[in-house]
Amino acid sequence: MADSNESSGTPEETQNLKLDGNAASESDISLDLLARKVQESLALGSRHKFWETQPVGQFKDIGDTSLPEGPIEPPSPLSEVKQEPYNLPNLYEWVTCDMDSEEMCLEVYNLLTNNYVEDDENMFRFNYSKEFLRWALRPPGYFKSWHIGVRVKSSKKLVAFITGVPARIRVRDQIITMAEVNFLCVHKKLRSKRLAPVMIKEVTRRVHLENIWQAAYTAGVVLPTPATTCQYWHRSLHPKKLIDVGFSRLGARMTMSRTIKLYKLPESPITQGFRKMEPHDVPAVTRLLRKYLNQFVVAPDFDENDVEHWLLPKEDVVDSFLVESPETHEITDFCSFYTLPSSILGNQNYSTLKAAYSYYNVSTKTPLLQLMNDALIMAKQQNFDVFNALDVMQNESFLKELKFGPGDGKLHYYLYNYRLRQALHPSELGLVLL
């Protein structure tokens, strides 16, 4: 999750500098950070016990060049895949969550809205809309059985959730059908019940039943072993609100009016031929995107059905724009972002932070900087408060120039049952997971 401050240090680091009137020496700070990292890694020990039993790259193998790249374990015969669900603790039962059902969708929405990812200071919590969840969980060829819930037997209350959706992902020149696993959420009061490992095993079992043996997922925590680690960057669109709710801080020697002026954007896009994507653009956008994504080590293998589902604009879910040459009518450039608000916790004046997240962007004729500036203008027009981007693909080239600030949040990408020779640089990754 994108964390809440645009300062470069973590809140604890900043506090360490304030402990006494004298500035702490750099060596004290680095020792303190080191000590804390050791503490964190010890706390992670129990979490890793589970992952050490799984076919994922292990920390002990980092740097071992004798290990081949590719699947860690071969597929099992389908007859050997466990046919029955894993056992849950006595009070709980599995349920398959039908996202077509309004009632079920609302239950999932309520569970996530109240219990899903929060920032470290518990000021913001992701608030995926029902429309977003339906979009995220029902791509072409999806399996209902991969939308898994856990209910309390007596009250039938939904208390945990995990999902997978199928995706074709290219790793170098291999195209692999994988599950993208997401939305692992356990009710706050049940975090000690060790439900998460059982849920991960259960979604894995159901994925295996479809003869799929690899998966991709992301986490804000370090597990064995990241394929790459990305940094979140944030671009203020409504700086006053962001400062009022504690998402960002007024810079040193900055006034509010100077800050507002600093982040001001033009009223409308400046690129000629810049317009919203329409259904008839799907084939051209697919060609553009496929060619572009080819340059990355890990990227989705999108066809027209995928592009239609993931990138055709959907109100309050995903926005896509392209540049059509006024002379030749050729589609030369493309940009997109999805809508993921966060609930603002404990603020009297504001309840929602409206955030746009950079999705897939392709520049061939329009400079990427200009294209993304137009994307910022469109997000501002739609009343977004902040525009977030990871430093994946070519994003690094525009972040500083367009006044994005680094967040506290890191996002680690993982591959299940697939080993990469070495971790990728974020710019080698062409995949955005929701």
Side-chain angles (χ1 to χ4, degrees), residues 161-313:
F161 187 59
I162 191 169
T163 68
V165 295
R168 287 181 321 285
I169 305 228
R170 182 182 52 72
V171 182
R172 299 193 208 279
D173 51 7
Q174 295 282 102
I175 293 170
I176 303 152
T177 302
M178 296 194 189
E180 291 178 356
V181 176
N182 203 349
F183 301 112
L184 169 55
C185 176
V186 176
H187 194 287
K188 287 179 173 180
K189 291 184 176 166
L190 302 178
R191 298 275 161 90
S192 61
K193 301 281 185 228
R194 302 290 295 149
L195 285 175
V198 190
M199 294 168 72
I200 293 166
K201 288 203 296 204
E202 181 59 19
V203 75
T204 304
R205 185 188 73 83
R206 296 189 193 194
V207 168
H208 287 168
L209 285 172
E210 303 299 339
N211 203 18
I212 294 170
W213 303 90
Q214 274 73 35
Y217 51 102
T218 58
V221 292
V222 177
L223 305 167
T225 300
T228 189
T229 294
C230 308
Q231 167 85 50
Y232 267 115
W233 290 69
H234 311 293
R235 206 295 185 177
S236 296
L237 299 175
H238 281 127
K240 184 181 185 309
K241 177 176 173 181
L242 294 178
I243 290 165
D244 286 349
V245 302
F247 183 93
S248 46
R249 292 191 279 275
L250 206 52
R253 297 180 297 283
M254 284 294 278
T255 61
M256 187 64 83
S257 60
R258 275 176 67 191
T259 304
I260 290 166
K261 198 172 167 189
L262 174 71
Y263 291 115
K264 196 168 164 47
L265 287 160
E267 290 297 308
S268 52
I270 59 165
T271 306
Q272 252 199 316
F274 186 90
R275 64 169 175 81
K276 192 171 174 171
M277 180 185 175
E278 294 172 14
H280 68 262
D281 298 315
V282 166
V285 169
T286 306
R287 285 194 297 275
L288 196 65
L289 196 56
R290 283 183 67 85
K291 188 173 179 191
Y292 174 72
L293 291 175
N294 243 344
Q295 66 187 291
F296 304 106
V297 177
V298 174
D301 179 57
F302 281 145
D303 63 18
E304 289 185 12
N305 290 334
D306 300 313
V307 168
E308 183 178 336
H309 177 82
W310 292 120
L311 293 166
L312 211 49

Side-chain angles (χ1 to χ4, degrees), residues 96-111 128-135 138 142 144 151 158:
T96 297
C97 299
D98 178 2
M99 298 307 287
D100 293 332
S101 149
E102 184 56 36
E103 196 183 351
M104 187 78 240
C105 198
L106 183 62
E107 279 189 86
V108 168
Y109 168 77
N110 285 332
L111 174 70
Y128 290 93
S129 67
K130 287 186 293 181
E131 295 73 30
F132 188 104
L133 292 169
R134 287 203 167 111
W135 169 71
R138 300 187 306 172
Y142 78 95
K144 260 184 197 167
R151 285 196 193 286
L158 187 71

